[in-house]
Amino acid sequence: MKNSFVLPDQQHGEETHAEPSRSGSRPRCRVDWWHVPPGTTLPSRALRALHAGDAIRANPAAAADILFAPRWLTMLALPRKRALVGEFRRQAGPCSLVIRPSCDGHAGSADAIPYGSASRLALICLTTIAARHGSSRIAANDLLAEYLRAVGSGDPKAHARNLWHQVTAFANCDFNITMFDREVDGKLIDYEPTTNASDSTSRTPPRPQWVELTPDFFTERTGLALDRRAVAALRGSPFAMDVYLWMSQHIARIQGGCKFFNWDYLLREFGG
């Protein structure tokens, strides 16, 4: 099968080498496959994630590889697909997220509500820059540069277009975020469009001069630390990014020992 690899037959618990079906296209990835059934075929996206995990295990993240995510994003995931209704809701126990298109938003975005991997990456990059520089005002060039470093590869023009679509969608929406006893209600960001901003019928959103984090969002700038290499490897799947964010949050809170979650809990967290 093209762009995939098959795990060779092995004894349960043995460590083996997994490599893609096209010989020589990638170096071998040494991981523990005791929990994967023999002969399992995995797509190339999974292979990229496995290589990234192998590299992360061998080499701890440098300071430049650390990204930050707002903590509410680890428990309240954004839409994974384009929302077909005028309002998005997510509930996770005592925490909730409601996103509504604002009546006073900016023109230039076909996506009324932020969604997909690009929305998560945009939010992570905004939080990262704010955490590093301690400022709520972020230059568009700095945001684009951080976003391109986070995605790691691909067409820069396409990535830039995705970023500005999602930034415009964030600026066009009101958020109600309830995290236990704390509530945020209103916009997360605003921005100043360039003087040659595109009209409302254009498929390409206007590139802003700067992006401003609202005070409530700015207070979340320290957030949760993430590894840039993991984010780049998982960016092709919003669901995979959500699982990584959720696991990072819980691992950071475990004080020794193990923590178990039943299937009903996981269904409530990721089933929507």
Side-chain angles (χ1 to χ4, degrees):
M1 181 183 295
K2 189 176 180 180
N3 294 331
S4 65
F5 69 100
V6 180
L7 300 178
D9 291 341
Q10 65 215 44
Q11 296 294 323
H12 183 79
E14 285 188 355
E15 190 177 64
T16 186
H17 294 279
E19 53 188 332
S21 57
R22 291 183 297 175
S23 176
S25 60
R26 280 183 181 268
R28 290 190 174 192
C29 178
R30 190 168 186 264
V31 289
D32 184 0
W33 288 114
W34 64 269
H35 57 289
V36 179
T40 299
T41 301
L42 297 177
S44 58
R45 180 184 298 170
L47 180 59
R48 286 195 299 271
L50 294 172
H51 277 283
D54 209 35
I56 291 169
R57 183 174 62 175
N59 302 291
D65 289 326
I66 299 298
L67 301 174
F68 295 94
R71 290 196 178 274
W72 64 263
L73 187 61
T74 67
M75 301 183 69
L76 296 166
L78 295 166
R80 295 177 189 131
K81 298 180 180 180
R82 189 190 304 269
L84 301 179
V85 295
E87 180 180 280
F88 173 82
R89 291 178 175 268
R90 188 178 294 279
Q91 186 80 32
C95 306
S96 65
L97 169 66
V98 181
I99 309 176
R100 299 185 183 93
S102 174
C103 59
D104 59 347
H106 297 275
S109 176
D111 303 318
I113 294 178
Y115 73 97
S117 297
S119 67
R120 290 154 173 78
L121 282 168
L123 210 55
I124 289 170
C125 291
L126 285 166
T127 307
T128 299
I129 297 173
R132 286 177 181 164
H133 301 292
S135 174
S136 61
R137 190 180 177 96
I138 298 171
N141 288 339
D142 292 342
L143 176 57
L144 178 58
E146 186 65 45
Y147 186 87
L148 293 177
R149 284 194 294 269
V151 297
S153 62
D155 181 3
K157 290 184 178 180
H159 289 319
R161 187 166 55 249
N162 290 337
L163 170 62
W164 303 134
H165 269 301
Q166 297 304 320
V167 166
T168 305
F170 274 113
N172 282 347
C173 287
D174 292 323
F175 288 72
N176 182 275
I177 304 169
T178 302
M179 290 286 290
F180 303 103
D181 59 348
R182 185 166 181 266
E183 183 177 5
V184 174
D185 191 24
K187 291 186 178 296
L188 297 184
I189 68 170
D190 198 3
Y191 72 85
E192 179 179 313
T194 53
T195 54
N196 59 342
S198 60
D199 60 66
S200 59
T201 61
S202 173
R203 295 184 61 187
T204 302
R207 174 171 175 161
Q209 297 183 37
W210 52 263
V211 178
E212 182 84 23
L213 278 60
T214 59
D216 284 331
F217 184 23
F218 185 59
T219 59
E220 299 285 336
R221 65 189 183 278
T222 52
L224 178 72
L226 307 172
D227 194 307
R228 184 193 306 276
R229 296 167 294 178
V231 172
L234 300 174
R235 66 177 174 82
S237 168
F239 182 79
M241 292 184 68
D242 291 343
V243 173
Y244 173 59
L245 288 163
W246 180 85
M247 291 182 66
S248 298
Q249 162 78 354
H250 283 283
I251 289 172
R253 294 167 58 187
I254 292 176
Q255 301 295 325
C258 298
K259 188 173 183 178
F260 296 93
F261 301 92
N262 59 43
W263 286 113
D264 289 339
Y265 177 88
L266 295 176
L267 180 62
R268 290 194 299 271
E269 288 286 320
F270 301 111

